Amino acid sequence: MIHRDIEQVLYTEEELRQRVKELGGQITADYAGRMPMLVSVLRGSYIFMADLTRSINLDVTVDFMVVSSYGAGTVSSGQVEIKKDLSDSIEGRDLIIVEDILDSGNTLYYLLDVLKARKPASIRLCTLMDKPERRTKPITADYVGFTIPDAFIVGYGLDYDEKYRNLPYVGVLKPSVYEK
Ligand code: IMP
Ligand code: MG
């Protein structure tokens, strides 16, 4: 039972659905007349990406990237590696980077540099969760689902050691799970 390892439910399925719909509405309004390219940073953002794109009422294209920074720990290593690059060119495109959670900012700080060099028309960041207290790099997101305190959370795509992504809600993981 994966639910047993959850200390507290932070956002229910319904709350997530509602907030993602609002973000989609905001993006629809902001990008009217354009065709943004949504870039999902895998794996954590896969569920958010699926729901977000379906709440945007515009032509969009999607692409995916795999980067890794964490391994099995709960603290970013500061080392970011592109494990799978985008399939399409981003030159001249209006990019929206879709992230699960903005924590230290290491991942996006590095990724933004890489992507800017490929000459997109614009880049904005959309993150489902933001933990500003933990930031060590000067990164802010343009679209934020929820601003949360410093706790390790899982569910709705977010993992601990590759598990718990399939929880339909977002919850705080019991520290006993990773202190073992
Ligand atoms: P950053 O590079 O420290 O900003 O970390 C970004 C990545 O770390 C996110 O995309 C997540 O994959 C992972 N991460 C950070 N905090 C959490 C958390 O509370 N739960 C699960 N994954 C997290
Ligand atoms: Mg992760």
Side-chain angles (χ1 to χ4, degrees), residues 42-44 67 69-71 100-101 152 157-160 162 165:
L42 295 172
R43 287 169 244 183
V67 302
S69 59
Y70 264 62
D100 54 351
I101 184 163
F152 198 78
L158 287 145
D159 74 304
Y160 170 67
E162 294 307 324
R165 295 193 196 275

Side-chain angles (χ1 to χ4, degrees), residues 75-91:
V75 180
S76 179
S77 62
Q79 299 271 347
V80 182
E81 189 193 342
I82 295 183
K83 298 208 153 178
K84 181 214 168 285
D85 208 336
L86 297 171
S87 301
D88 298 339
S89 163
I90 62 173
E91 196 175 336

Side-chain angles (χ1 to χ4, degrees), residues 9-20 146:
V9 175
L10 264 191
Y11 300 106
T12 63
E13 237 180 306
E14 178 53 29
E15 287 168 326
L16 290 165
R17 200 187 58 76
Q18 186 51 40
R19 184 68 188 122
V20 172
F146 301 97

Side-chain angles (χ1 to χ4, degrees), residues 10 12 16 32 38 43 57 65 78 96 119 127 135 150 167:
L10 264 191
T12 63
L16 290 165
L38 279 87
R43 287 169 244 183
N57 186 15
M65 234 174 158
I96 303 175
K119 312 233 182 308
T127 187
R135 201 82 85 251
D150 180 13
L167 287 172

Side-chain angles (χ1 to χ4, degrees), residues 45-108:
S45 70
Y46 78 110
I47 295 179
F48 177 41
M49 178 73 165
D51 287 344
L52 180 68
T53 50
R54 285 180 292 179
S55 68
I56 298 174
N57 186 15
L58 292 173
D59 287 326
V60 301
T61 64
V62 300
D63 206 342
F64 302 88
M65 234 174 158
V66 179
V67 302
S68 80
S69 59
Y70 264 62
T74 60
V75 180
S76 179
S77 62
Q79 299 271 347
V80 182
E81 189 193 342
I82 295 183
K83 298 208 153 178
K84 181 214 168 285
D85 208 336
L86 297 171
S87 301
D88 298 339
S89 163
I90 62 173
E91 196 175 336
R93 298 297 307 272
D94 292 308
L95 289 196
I96 303 175
I97 301 179
V98 179
E99 257 282 24
D100 54 351
I101 184 163
L102 186 49
D103 188 33
S104 70
N106 275 326
T107 310
L108 281 175

Side-chain angles (χ1 to χ4, degrees), residues 129-144:
M129 300 286 166
D130 189 7
K131 280 198 243 179
E133 279 171 47
R134 304 240 316 162
R135 201 82 85 251
T136 59
K137 291 285 189 341
I139 298 277
T140 51
D142 303 282
Y143 303 98
V144 175

Side-chain angles (χ1 to χ4, degrees), residues 1-10 72-74 131 148 150-155 158-165 167 169-180:
M1 269 290 286
I2 49 178
H3 302 279
R4 262 206 305 259
D5 293 341
I6 301 306
E7 188 167 79
Q8 181 203 349
V9 175
L10 264 191
T74 60
K131 280 198 243 179
I148 60 169
D150 180 13
F152 198 78
I153 59 168
V154 293
L158 287 145
D159 74 304
Y160 170 67
D161 200 12
E162 294 307 324
K163 290 177 292 198
Y164 309 104
R165 295 193 196 275
L167 287 172
Y169 52 83
V170 168
V172 178
L173 191 61
K174 286 182 181 163
S176 59
V177 174
Y178 51 83
E179 280 163 1
K180 280 194 278 235

